[in-house]
Amino acid sequence: MLTYVLRTLLRMAITLFLIVTLVFFATRLSGNPVDFVLGEGITKEDRDLLIAYYGLDSSIGTQYLRYLSSVFSGEFGLSFLERRPVSEIVLERAWPSLKLLLSAVCFTLVVSIPLGILAAIYRTSIIGSVVMVVAFLGYAVPSFIIGILLVLIFAYTLNWLPVIGDGTALHFIMPTLAISGMLVAAITRFTRNAMLDVLSQDYMRTARAKGLPEWIVILKHGLRNASITLLSVVGLQIAALAASGSVVVEAIFAWPGIGDLLVRSAILRDYPVLQFGVLSVAVAVIVINAVVDIAYAFADPRIRLAKG
Amino acid sequence: MTLPVLDVQDLKISFGAHEAVKGISFAIHARETLALVGESGSGKSATALSILRLIEREGGTIGGGRIVLTDGGRSHDLRNLSDAQLTALRGNAISMVFQEPMTSLNPVLKIGDQVGEVFIRHRKYDRRKAMKAAEEALDQVRIPDPARRLHQYPHELSGGLRQRVMIAMALACRPKLLICDEPTTALDVTTQAEILTLIRNLQAEIGMGVLFITHDMGVVAEIADRVVVLRNGEMMEEASVHDLFERPKAAYTKALMAATPKPGSGSSTRQAGTETVLEVEHLSTRFAGKSGLFSRNSSGVLAVNRVSLKVARGETLGLVGESGCGKSTLARSILHLIEPESGSVRLDGKVLNSSSKQALRETRKDMQMVFQDPYASLNPRLPVHELITEPARIHGLVSHKDQKELAADLVERVGLERDAINRFAHQFSGGQRQRLCIARALSVEPKLIIADEAVSALDVSIARQITDLMLELQRTEGLSFLFISHDIGVVERVSHRIAVMYKGEIVETGPTDRILKSPEHPYTRRLLSAVPSPVPKRRSAPPQLSTSLQVEVPSLAALA
């Protein structure tokens, strides 16, 4: 188990390093950032001065090494627009994003796991078919469509829910639903498949032969096993969909989170913020994946108790 | 006259349009063991599951008849009970032990939880009391160190121990009826003998009726009082175990008896040649220890330990041993499918050398393997003529044009119709598939066939046909076989000589007769004493393994 954890952590470190590198080169691809920051009509001398100030006159290798050393010492520079450390700006935005993410994950799990179980148990009846059709549709509709539809119905037409910001609990409803749409669809399908695998196992028959009532057989013996496979999928899906979904959804609802910040910094060409923002999201995804990997191993006694 | 515990009258079960059980009747009294015998497809497992009323879950329906359980003076027809009444009976008055101990326990729940659950459900114990009861239940099935087992998971236990846990669960509430569905089929003979003795002793203690389902006449002779023989869902015969073995009435019963290998009935092999085909010298194979980023440099496990053996032309060497003793690893090492650590393999004088891929392929051509599972070892997407000529094509022995011709000859040699070559593997029965596997091996005209448990997954009568085919091929074509099996009865029938393997080493080799009649190594003696013999014994004197022998050579399962 210890080996497993260490190996997961090492893999995580390697991925992190690759992402740090990728972010560096990706931002260099779009030309000299100085040209975006400065307006027109700047003199050649001033431009050169600024390039030297940002260290952009040295070779790409030197820049990369300097970048690496600043990343590892926690120096991410100042925002072009706000003249504040980018880490400060991004961290302010992290908490609202996290709250929204948690709300979406809780909603997703509460809805999709029971639905998935139902779809598995009643796979041959109309209930199962209805759940799967709905799940399939949900998977096909992108989060920004759901978001816009929700706004049209509940804000403009019915005037029930607020649209902008994160002030009250009511503010959470629409963004949560918009992010969860695809997640619910995906997790319902995975739950159904995982349960179907488990339902035909020999130990389920053993549990019934013991005289256990059906709901104990399903929840204790079935779900316990299915949750091991589910865990890995749920973790990956949440990391992937939540990260991409929240960028769009936060923009729609002007949610003061990292997604909204990224979109704004990209439009305003605030590269230090964009760079650090992307890095933070990437780190969050990697950390979630690593946590899931370890949790997965921990949930399965066959891995947890393996020697080494 | 007391009522029987279970009285089944004219039971009919169908799966869709197929009628699996066509009106069978039997009764089981307290303290009595009724064996339900038959080959696959006979409806024996369907019968068992219908008594628990779990057959509906497997897609079956009970089409007619009565299943009457008598418990504490009250009788109910199980067909008329509600779901709630049924769950109250299951695991309580009727319980069941299944075939596969490896998959029948929940892998993510502790043993204590799984056994204790029964007490919580039926006896309304609280958790602490249930754990205490579970510990006693494990102790009752002679599981050593029961308190520690409560906190273990199924994967930490050997197959034999897991089956004991299953039995502990089944007997927790002292049922009136215990149904055992092939409970020892997946176990080694030594473990099987222990489990059979255990079931018999617990029956004497608890006094339940036992419905014992098996395909193995040897097991029937060991455990049953009365026997019902089933074939294709119909009752062929019902008799006391003595009458059945001494005066079988139905023709099918007689055929089943004849097909059952009887230890001591001698081998039906012909004189083998003297020229050596396979010569293995000091072969060792090591499995690396856990290798990983941070692993310590562990030396791993020596799965095959300095094994030497010889097989002559036209000879069959039987290789026996319990699961985990290294039989299959040895087979794979001989073919260099697993790279041996040291030692040499010579085939017809040529040394197998894995340093040259080309040379290795050349020599491998003369050695072919037939595996245990005829379902998994044939590619379902290839027609038979491609399937069985593939080795010949790989070795460039047949042109595309002649492929069908070769295939037709091959299927004919293994006793199938020539037009079988255009069909696919799934259109054949298990026995026919194993014939196809042999045909595939024959396609390159090998000198030696390594058969790794090649008949273990087959019904006895089919297994008999396959071993007869092997003997025939040996007689007409002078083939040599390395015949690996855990079933000593089968090995005896086909082998000139037997090698006994234990913990990676060959502990004894000798002519078949000598090994069976006067085994020298204590492990061989232990293995032989555990083999159920299809001769009914007096129930009052169950065969016991001598304790000294058990201490001397523990079964591999006990070491796990």
Side-chain angles (χ1 to χ4, degrees), chain A:
Chain A
M1 184 69 194
L2 186 65
T3 321
Y4 187 88
V5 172
L6 288 176
R7 208 178 302 160
T8 308
L9 292 179
L10 185 79
R11 218 166 31 217
M12 183 177 125
I14 293 171
T15 319
L16 264 181
F17 177 76
L18 290 178
I19 285 186
V20 164
T21 306
L22 193 70
V23 165
F24 172 81
F25 286 105
T27 46
R28 293 319 182 263
L29 281 179
S30 56
N32 199 327
V34 170
D35 293 332
F36 292 106
V37 178
L38 302 173
E40 306 214 342
I42 189 100
T43 64
K44 172 102 175 46
E45 289 73 40
D46 286 350
R47 186 173 176 272
D48 287 346
L49 201 67
L50 202 60
I51 287 178
Y53 173 71
Y54 284 123
L56 296 171
D57 53 346
S58 43
S59 76
I60 195 88
T62 322
Q63 284 187 51
Y64 176 59
L65 286 180
R66 202 182 295 141
Y67 163 79
L68 277 188
S69 75
S70 66
V71 165
F72 285 111
S73 56
E75 292 282 331
F76 295 96
L78 302 180
S79 156
F80 288 164
L81 298 170
E82 297 185 41
R83 313 304 307 162
R84 286 198 295 147
V86 290
S87 48
E88 203 179 297
I89 298 175
V90 171
L91 281 179
E92 276 170 14
R93 299 296 201 105
W95 178 232
S97 280
L98 202 62
K99 277 195 295 190
L100 183 58
L101 182 64
L102 282 178
S103 152
V105 168
C106 291
F107 177 78
T108 301
L109 295 183
V110 166
V111 173
S112 57
I113 288 181
L115 274 183
I117 295 173
L118 280 181
I121 297 174
Y122 296 106
R123 66 187 173 285
T124 51
S125 81
I126 188 79
I127 303 178
S129 313
V130 168
V131 170
M132 288 327 287
V133 168
V134 172
F136 192 75
L137 285 179
Y139 203 69
V141 182
S143 51
F144 65 88
I145 303 265
I146 300 180
I148 290 169
L149 284 178
L150 288 172
V151 170
L152 278 177
I153 298 170
F154 293 104
Y156 287 101
T157 313
L158 298 172
N159 210 10
W160 287 355
L161 295 171
V163 181
I164 303 290
D166 68 340
T168 67
L170 284 182
H171 282 93
F172 276 80
I173 295 177
M174 287 198 292
T176 299
L177 290 178
I179 294 179
S180 306
M182 238 188 221
L183 277 175
V184 167
I187 308 288
T188 302
R189 284 172 51 179
F190 283 121
T191 308
R192 173 180 179 268
N193 292 347
M195 278 308 280
L196 280 182
D197 276 351
V198 166
L199 286 179
S200 59
Q201 295 292 319
D202 285 349
Y203 52 76
M204 297 295 277
R205 193 177 54 189
T206 307
R208 291 197 181 95
K210 283 185 198 172
L212 299 175
E214 192 61 19
W215 67 272
I216 293 190
V217 174
I218 298 283
L219 293 184
K220 183 171 173 186
H221 290 264
L223 190 58
R224 222 24 115 101
N225 278 282
S227 62
I228 295 174
T229 15
L230 265 182
L231 196 58
S232 59
V233 175
V234 171
L236 294 180
Q237 288 287 324
I238 284 173
L241 286 182
S244 62
S246 65
V247 171
V248 179
V249 171
E250 285 185 7
I252 293 176
F253 295 97
W255 194 267
I258 290 184
D260 181 54
L261 178 71
L262 287 180
V263 174
R264 259 194 10 200
S265 324
I267 294 169
L268 300 174
R269 310 246 191 262
D270 196 346
Y271 282 93
V273 175
L274 187 60
Q275 190 167 287
F276 186 68
V278 169
L279 208 55
S280 314
V281 173
V283 169
V285 171
I286 294 169
V287 169
I288 292 177
N289 280 347
V291 167
V292 166
D293 260 6
I294 292 169
Y296 171 81
F298 203 76
D300 190 339
R302 285 161 294 189
I303 304 183
R304 175 173 11 124
L305 301 178
K307 292 179 185 75

Side-chain angles (χ1 to χ4, degrees), chain A residues 2-3 6-7 10 201-214 216 220-222 224-225 228 299-308, chain B residues 49 52 54 57-58 87 90-91 94 96 98 100 103-109 113-114 117-118 121-122 153 155-156 166 169 290-294 296:
Chain A
L2 186 65
T3 321
L6 288 176
R7 208 178 302 160
L10 185 79
Q201 295 292 319
D202 285 349
Y203 52 76
M204 297 295 277
R205 193 177 54 189
T206 307
R208 291 197 181 95
K210 283 185 198 172
L212 299 175
E214 192 61 19
I216 293 190
K220 183 171 173 186
H221 290 264
R224 222 24 115 101
N225 278 282
I228 295 174
D300 190 339
R302 285 161 294 189
I303 304 183
R304 175 173 11 124
L305 301 178
K307 292 179 185 75
Chain B
L49 285 175
L52 274 175
L54 287 174
R57 291 236 152 247
E58 318 272 318
T87 52
R90 285 184 201 131
I94 316 174
M96 184 153 172
F98 297 94
E100 266 301 332
T103 54
S104 293
L105 289 168
N106 191 325
V108 301
L109 295 178
D113 289 323
Q114 299 195 48
E117 199 169 44
V118 185
R121 163 76 182 116
H122 294 296
Y153 288 92
H155 75 273
E156 297 173 79
M166 286 295 291
M169 268 171 10
K290 286 260 175 191
S291 68
L293 216 45
F294 303 101
R296 294 163 298 276

Side-chain angles (χ1 to χ4, degrees), chain B residues 326-543:
Chain B
K327 306 187 293 286
S328 293
T329 310
L330 173 59
R332 276 145 222 247
S333 306
I334 290 175
L335 278 167
H336 283 53
L337 291 173
I338 302 172
E339 191 58 35
E341 185 181 68
S342 62
S344 70
V345 177
R346 264 197 204 85
L347 189 74
D348 240 10
K350 281 175 283 181
V351 180
L352 255 77
N353 185 349
S354 40
S355 57
S356 156
K357 283 231 165 97
Q358 185 59 35
L360 186 64
R361 191 182 294 171
E362 288 284 298
T363 357
R364 266 194 194 148
K365 180 176 78 66
D366 291 333
M367 265 194 290
Q368 292 293 312
M369 202 154 168
V370 175
F371 297 94
Q372 171 168 7
D373 189 344
Y375 290 85
S377 51
L378 291 172
N379 186 332
R381 296 187 198 286
L382 293 181
V384 164
H385 62 85
E386 285 190 35
L387 201 56
I388 63 176
T389 56
E390 195 173 23
R393 284 204 311 280
I394 290 170
H395 291 289
L397 298 177
V398 67
S399 66
H400 190 72
K401 196 159 49 97
D402 300 335
Q403 176 197 313
K404 285 204 170 182
E405 190 57 27
L406 172 67
D409 289 345
L410 287 170
V411 293
E412 207 167 30
R413 272 161 75 191
V414 297
L416 296 171
E417 298 290 323
R418 286 179 79 90
D419 58 15
I421 60 167
N422 291 318
R423 290 193 268 157
F424 289 84
H426 68 89
Q427 293 168 291
F428 295 89
S429 69
Q432 289 173 325
R433 286 181 201 213
Q434 205 58 299
R435 286 174 191 268
L436 291 177
C437 291
I438 294 172
R440 177 170 60 184
L442 291 176
S443 74
V444 291
E445 303 297 336
K447 301 195 168 69
L448 173 82
I449 289 184
I450 299 180
D452 188 1
E453 301 275 6
V455 299
S456 307
L458 305 173
D459 280 325
V460 276
S461 59
I462 309 293
R464 174 72 183 231
Q465 290 166 15
I466 297 292
T467 51
D468 283 348
L469 172 69
M470 291 180 175
L471 289 169
E472 175 68 19
L473 289 168
Q474 182 163 65
R475 194 175 57 78
T476 55
E477 310 185 11
L479 270 173
S480 307
F481 285 93
L482 177 60
F483 191 94
I484 301 172
S485 179
H486 67 280
D487 186 335
I488 294 170
V490 175
V491 169
E492 177 186 0
R493 234 176 60 72
V494 300
S495 305
H496 297 88
R497 287 185 303 126
I498 291 181
V500 182
M501 198 163 178
Y502 177 63
K503 285 173 151 182
E505 289 177 58
I506 302 267
V507 294
E508 186 168 7
T509 314
T512 302
D513 256 19
R514 211 275 291 145
I515 294 280
L516 295 176
K517 294 205 176 103
S518 49
E520 279 160 12
H521 194 274
Y523 176 71
T524 314
R525 287 205 289 276
R526 176 174 150 78
L527 201 60
L528 289 173
S529 73
V531 176
S533 142
V535 178
K537 302 183 179 77
R538 293 271 159 239
R539 286 288 298 278
S540 51

Side-chain angles (χ1 to χ4, degrees), chain B residues 5-66:
Chain B
V5 175
L6 180 76
D7 191 2
V8 173
Q9 293 291 333
D10 198 27
L11 178 68
K12 294 190 177 81
I13 304 164
S14 49
F15 291 93
H18 169 68
E19 196 168 35
V21 174
K22 302 161 186 161
I24 65 170
S25 306
F26 56 86
I28 302 170
H29 287 83
R31 301 182 182 281
E32 183 187 43
T33 301
L34 177 78
L36 212 51
V37 189
E39 298 187 281
S40 47
S42 61
K44 43 192 203 309
S45 291
T47 305
L49 285 175
S50 67
I51 294 167
L52 274 175
R53 288 288 309 280
L54 287 174
I55 192 73
E56 289 90 346
R57 291 236 152 247
E58 318 272 318
T61 40
I62 301 178
R66 283 155 32 91

